[in-house]
Amino acid sequence: MKMNRRDVAKKMTEFSKELGIAPKKTGSVGKTMLWAAGSVAGYFLIRGVYNKRMK
């Protein structure tokens, strides 16, 4: 019998709560902001290199 990954994660979270262990919080907003900042920085870096070659 194959278990769904979400079901397993939910059961593990419930089990760790019973033991008194705080579950790890996911920071999806922080990761999204990091990706956006990296994309912007990469864009300006490539643009700067491209502009120097064209001159």
Side-chain angles (χ1 to χ4, degrees):
M1 183 167 111
K2 188 175 181 182
M3 292 189 74
N4 189 0
R5 191 176 215 173
R6 185 176 291 155
D7 292 338
V8 173
K10 186 176 178 183
K11 287 179 183 179
M12 291 299 289
T13 302
E14 290 174 2
F15 181 68
S16 61
K17 282 182 182 178
E18 287 178 10
L19 292 176
I21 302 170
K24 183 174 72 170
K25 300 202 178 204
T26 56
S28 60
V29 174
K31 287 181 184 177
T32 304
M33 290 177 66
L34 183 63
W35 273 102
S39 298
V40 170
Y43 170 75
F44 282 108
L45 179 68
I46 291 170
R47 188 173 140 195
V49 169
Y50 184 73
N51 283 340
K52 286 182 182 178
R53 282 187 155 190
M54 295 302 289
K55 288 184 179 180

